[in-house]
């Protein structure tokens, strides 16, 4: 009798449209590798009507969902999120017991991912963490990201600075792999739409130039984000440009931001449009076609540099992250945001970006970051060594 080959089961967690976009090509790589079996757990905003029920997109993309883990009804208060984490621990434990993965993959720092990481760690399932070592000052994401790092066995980081930081957290350098940001694979593999085709797809006339705006709440600040988003909307209006808005995520006060933006867009739907979810192709096509990005999304830090797109980064959410020459940091005052937009649209700033094209998150520049991660997931030796970690002293 021949040897029976058993595929290694790699279970990917995803809880939001943005995170799914970053994991998309890794999931494709895992799915087509004959050594591996892709499992998929979908949770969080994917299952919420307010965010377009994006789990349906995952199915249309050809991925089989092994488990949906609905958490609490959308409640973006501190207490609601704490309850969500507690409920998630119980639900993820049941799912992992049922599907029995050999390894789980978790990206980033969303609070929906923390209970999944806790459940996997206690079940002695090795965790591969993507985008560890990064900083988001002023957010609960900061502590969650570093907590997931300490629960994880493998680490795939996006810059050399972040690699050093994960090692500083006590992780063995042999388990920390600097391959770059997997979401950048889209720039090499996705056929992007031109502005005319994008306008048709969105059902929205994208006059040149136009802005792309995403603003998320800064979760450790006591001050309401209402004043901040009103300043952003006033600055966008005063710029005289059309704008595509994407929704804030399910953090505390996220619904407040979305409601304010929704009302603003309805008053002048010819110039402004709010989208629940653009999908990968349309989102990256917007980055290609727009004149500047405004807000505090990590996409402005990581992906926008590959398009040489000017970014007006507002406030502390992305403070101290590694950035390219395309990023303009401003505070949340109206005057600062207006000045930032003016600089972003200037010929002198665009020339500066073109003279320094390198994206610090794109290590190899070949669109194969997801492939490299997949190869490591397939080849790493399994066993107690991955679970029984020792603290590495720098």
């Amino acid at each position: 009798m021949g040897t029976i080959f058993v595929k290694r089961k790699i279970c990917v967690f995803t809880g939001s449209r943005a995170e799914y976009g970053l994991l998309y090509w890794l999931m494709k790589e895992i799915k087509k590798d004959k050594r591996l079996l892709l499992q998929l757990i979908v949770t969080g905003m994917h299952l919420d009507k307010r965010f377009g029920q994006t789990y349906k997109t995952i199915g249309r993309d050809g991925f089989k969902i092994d488990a949906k883990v609905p958490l609490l009804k959308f409640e973006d208060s501190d207490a609601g999120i704490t309850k969500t984490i507690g409920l998630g621990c119980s639900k993820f434990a049941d799912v992992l017991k049922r599907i029995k993965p050999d390894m789980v993959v978790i990206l980033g720092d969303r609070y929906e991912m923390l209970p999944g990481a806790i459940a996997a760690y206690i079940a002695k399932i090795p965790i591969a963490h993507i985008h560890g070592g990064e900083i988001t000052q002023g957010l609960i994401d900061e502590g969650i990201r570093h907590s997931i790092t300490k629960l994880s066995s493998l680490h795939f980081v996006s810059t050399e600075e972040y690699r050093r930081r994960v090692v500083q957290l006590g992780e063995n350098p042999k388990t920390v792999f600097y391959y770059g940001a997997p979401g950048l694979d889209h720039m090499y593999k996705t056929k992007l739409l031109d502005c005319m085709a994008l306008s048709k797809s969105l059902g929205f006339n994208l006059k040149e130039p136009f802005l792309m705006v995403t603003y998320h709440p800064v979760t450790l600040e006591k001050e309401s984000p209402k004043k901040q988003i009103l300043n952003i909307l006033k600055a966008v209006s005063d710029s005289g440009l059309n704008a595509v808005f994407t929704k804030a995520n399910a953090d505390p006060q996220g619904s407040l931001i979305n409601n304010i933006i929704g009302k603003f867009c309805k008053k002048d739907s010819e110039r402004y449009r709010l989208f629940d979810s653009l999908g990968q192709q349309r989102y990256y096509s917007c980055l290609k076609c727009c004149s500047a990005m405004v807000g505090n999304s990590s996409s402005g830090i990581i992906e926008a540099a590959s398009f040489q797109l000017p970014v007006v980064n507002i406030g502390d959410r992305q403070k101290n992250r590694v950035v390219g020459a395309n990023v303009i940091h401003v505070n949340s005052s109206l005057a600062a945001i207006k000045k930032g937009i003016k600089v972003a649209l200037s010929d002198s700033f665009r020339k500066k970006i073109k003279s320094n094209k390198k994206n610090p998150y794109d290590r190899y520049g070949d669109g194969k970051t997801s492939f490299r991660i997949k190869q490591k997931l397939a080849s790493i030796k399994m066993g107690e060594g991955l679970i029984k970690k020792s603290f590495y002293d720098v």
Side-chain angles (χ1 to χ4, degrees), residues 184 186-188 192 283-290 299 302-310 326 350 353 357 359:
L184 295 178
H186 281 287
M187 264 58 79
Y188 298 91
L192 301 182
Y283 182 81
Y284 289 101
S285 297
C286 277
L287 294 184
K288 173 188 172 184
C289 294
C290 75
S299 180
I302 298 173
E303 287 100 329
S306 290
F307 293 94
Q308 297 174 49
L309 177 65
N326 63 311
R350 291 174 180 279
I353 297 174
K357 297 179 181 180
N359 185 340

Side-chain angles (χ1 to χ4, degrees), residues 29 179 185 188-189 364-373:
E29 290 287 352
Y179 293 155
D185 290 357
Y188 298 91
K189 297 181 178 181
Y364 296 102
D366 59 5
K368 294 182 179 179
T369 299
S370 297
F371 173 79
R372 292 182 176 92
I373 294 173

Side-chain angles (χ1 to χ4, degrees), residues 49-237:
K49 288 182 179 179
R50 293 173 177 85
F51 297 94
Q53 291 184 312
T54 45
Y55 75 89
K56 295 178 181 178
T57 300
I58 296 173
R60 288 194 294 267
D61 286 343
F63 296 112
K64 174 180 172 287
I65 297 174
D66 292 88
K68 296 175 187 174
V69 181
L71 302 176
L72 293 180
K73 278 191 172 182
F74 182 65
E75 182 185 348
D76 61 1
S77 67
D78 295 339
I81 287 173
T82 303
K83 293 175 185 176
T84 295
I85 291 171
L87 181 65
C89 285
S90 175
K91 289 193 172 185
F92 280 117
D94 290 339
V95 170
L96 292 174
K97 184 178 180 180
R98 175 171 62 83
I99 67 175
K100 296 180 171 59
D102 296 305
M103 185 180 295
V104 302
V105 175
I106 294 176
L107 185 144
D109 49 32
R110 292 289 308 161
Y111 66 82
E112 301 99 321
M113 296 298 103
L114 181 58
I118 292 171
Y121 181 79
I122 292 174
K124 303 177 184 65
I125 302 168
I127 300 167
H129 186 212
I130 301 173
H131 277 293
E134 302 183 16
I135 288 177
T136 41
Q137 187 167 322
L139 301 178
I140 60 170
D141 304 26
E142 173 95 353
I144 290 172
R145 183 190 300 107
H146 297 331
S147 297
I148 294 175
T149 288
K150 292 309 301 176
L151 296 171
S152 299
S153 300
L154 300 175
H155 311 274
F156 298 99
V157 299
S158 57
T159 74
E160 172 60 23
E161 180 177 322
Y162 301 151
R163 187 199 69 81
R164 291 196 300 268
R165 190 171 291 129
V166 170
V167 173
Q168 184 180 337
L169 285 167
E171 298 302 296
N172 192 312
K174 293 180 180 179
T175 68
V176 186
F177 306 97
Y178 164 34
Y179 293 155
L184 295 178
D185 290 357
H186 281 287
M187 264 58 79
Y188 298 91
K189 297 181 178 181
T190 303
K191 183 178 180 181
L192 301 182
L193 305 173
D194 61 28
C195 292
M196 186 177 295
L198 179 61
S199 291
K200 185 176 180 181
S201 177
L202 294 177
F204 180 52
N205 186 21
L206 299 174
K207 294 178 181 178
E208 288 284 0
F210 74 94
L211 301 175
M212 189 170 180
V213 185
T214 303
Y215 190 73
H216 301 297
V218 184
T219 48
L220 290 182
E221 288 186 357
K222 294 290 186 181
E223 181 184 9
S224 168
K226 182 176 181 178
K227 183 177 180 181
Q228 298 168 17
I229 190 61
L230 289 175
N231 284 344
I232 293 170
L233 297 179
K234 174 64 173 169
V236 169
S237 177

Side-chain angles (χ1 to χ4, degrees), residues 302-343:
I302 298 173
E303 287 100 329
S306 290
F307 293 94
Q308 297 174 49
L309 177 65
V311 173
V312 181
N313 180 64
I314 300 168
D316 290 344
R317 187 180 179 94
Q318 308 300 340
K319 188 175 181 180
N320 292 328
R321 271 192 164 176
V322 174
V323 299
N326 63 311
V327 178
I328 303 162
H329 292 292
V330 301
N331 62 43
S332 58
S333 70
L334 175 59
I337 298 168
K338 290 177 70 171
K339 182 179 179 181
I341 293 173
K342 184 177 180 180
V343 172

